[in-house]
């Protein structure tokens, strides 16, 4: 599978060649299961398009598309620099990259935002981004769960979003998980509208 081709449209939303290259480097490091599993191991928390084979991939693409469309609106996107927009889109593309852990576990890992951030930071040299940019991306990813910060045992594991960037990434992920939104995909898992 050509991973760059799989995310050709989404990578095309990123204006900075530097950030685009870093995003592609991280896509290459995603486990194979990312492209195969549903977005929800139970089917309870995501719309139909995000279920079944490739559901997590489609969910991630939907979150990026929602982010892109919102950022194209000058009233929303005008609050961010081009690099901030690019880094938020990269965060959305990668936010569930290790949803089932590494190696793959049967169910969703509650700490998956922290796991993908660790993978990003472990590959800092390959990404060729500034430390502040990597921190920005990880800050957006680690809070994408919003108010759902406690694990299955009630232990506080994640942080709630605090910045406008974190809130934006959470909002896009949240909308991409809503069952009332029906986003059409073609046979190649690309949004067809």
């Amino acid at each position: 599978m050509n991973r760059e081709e799989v995310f050709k449209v989404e990578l095309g939303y990123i204006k900075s060649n530097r950030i685009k290259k870093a995003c592609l480097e991280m896509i290459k490091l995603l486990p194979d299961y990312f492209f195969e599993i549903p977005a929800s191991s139970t089917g309870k928390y995501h719309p139909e398009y995000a279920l079944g084979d490739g559901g997590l991939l489609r969910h991630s693409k939907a979150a990026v598309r929602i982010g892109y469309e919102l950022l194209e609106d000058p009233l929303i996107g005008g609050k961010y620099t081009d690099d901030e927009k690019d880094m938020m889109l990269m965060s959305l593309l990668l936010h569930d990259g290790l949803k089932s852990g590494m190696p793959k576990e049967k169910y969703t890992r509650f700490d998956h935002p922290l796991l993908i951030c660790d993978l990003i930071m472990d590959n800092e040299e390959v990404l060729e981004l500034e430390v502040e940019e990597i921190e920005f991306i990880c800050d957006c990813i680690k809070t994408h769960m919003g108010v759902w910060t406690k694990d299955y045992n009630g232990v506080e594991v994640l942080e709630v979003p605090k910045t406008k960037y974190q809130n934006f990434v959470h909002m896009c992920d949240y909308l991409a998980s809503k069952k009332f939104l029906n986003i059409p995909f073609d046979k190649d898992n690309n949004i067809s509208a």
Side-chain angles (χ1 to χ4, degrees):
M1 162 194 339
N2 180 336
R3 293 180 178 203
E4 184 173 4
E5 190 62 32
V6 169
F7 283 111
K8 182 179 180 181
V9 172
E10 293 75 21
L11 288 167
Y13 298 150
I14 298 174
K15 294 177 182 175
S16 163
N17 286 330
R18 215 171 38 79
I19 296 170
K20 187 182 302 190
K21 181 179 179 284
C23 192
L24 182 56
E25 290 299 324
M26 287 308 305
I27 290 168
K28 292 176 186 175
L29 297 174
L30 294 177
D32 290 342
Y33 76 74
F34 173 84
F35 300 88
E36 301 163 357
I37 66 170
S40 171
S41 55
T42 63
K44 188 174 174 184
Y45 299 110
H46 287 81
E48 190 173 329
Y49 72 80
L51 303 179
D53 188 46
L56 182 58
L57 171 66
R58 290 187 297 275
H59 163 74
S60 298
K61 286 176 166 253
V64 172
R65 177 66 178 268
I66 289 167
Y68 172 74
E69 294 292 342
L70 290 171
L71 291 170
E72 284 293 290
D73 179 336
L75 289 176
I76 297 169
K79 299 173 185 170
Y80 307 101
T81 68
D82 285 346
D83 280 352
E84 289 168 346
K85 292 176 188 179
D86 287 349
M87 289 185 290
M88 289 188 296
L89 293 174
M90 180 174 170
S91 300
L92 286 163
L93 195 148
L94 299 171
H95 77 281
D96 280 342
L98 293 180
K99 192 157 187 175
S100 292
M102 181 88 104
K104 182 182 185 283
E105 298 176 21
K106 184 176 181 179
Y107 297 108
T108 295
R109 282 282 302 257
F110 190 79
D111 63 347
H112 70 273
L114 305 178
L115 297 178
I116 191 69
C117 288
D118 287 346
L119 184 64
I120 291 168
M121 290 188 288
D122 288 347
N123 289 279
E124 177 181 349
E125 292 173 12
V126 177
L127 301 181
E128 299 177 10
L129 294 176
E130 300 294 325
V131 171
E132 297 79 21
E133 293 171 319
I134 291 173
E135 289 172 352
F136 180 103
I137 292 162
C138 288
D139 282 347
C140 289
I141 291 172
K142 73 182 180 184
T143 59
H144 82 261
M145 297 286 289
V147 297
W148 295 277
T149 59
K150 294 182 180 174
D151 69 10
Y152 310 109
N153 297 314
V155 177
E156 194 85 27
V157 174
L158 304 172
E159 300 174 34
V160 295
K162 294 180 182 79
T163 69
K164 67 182 181 179
Y165 315 107
Q166 292 171 327
N167 278 303
F168 183 84
V169 169
H170 164 63
M171 175 182 62
C172 295
D173 177 48
Y174 180 78
L175 289 171
S177 71
K178 294 291 103 190
K179 291 186 179 208
F180 72 89
L181 287 178
N182 182 25
I183 298 176
F185 283 83
D186 65 21
K187 65 178 179 52
D188 297 318
N189 289 322
N190 290 311
I191 296 173
S192 59

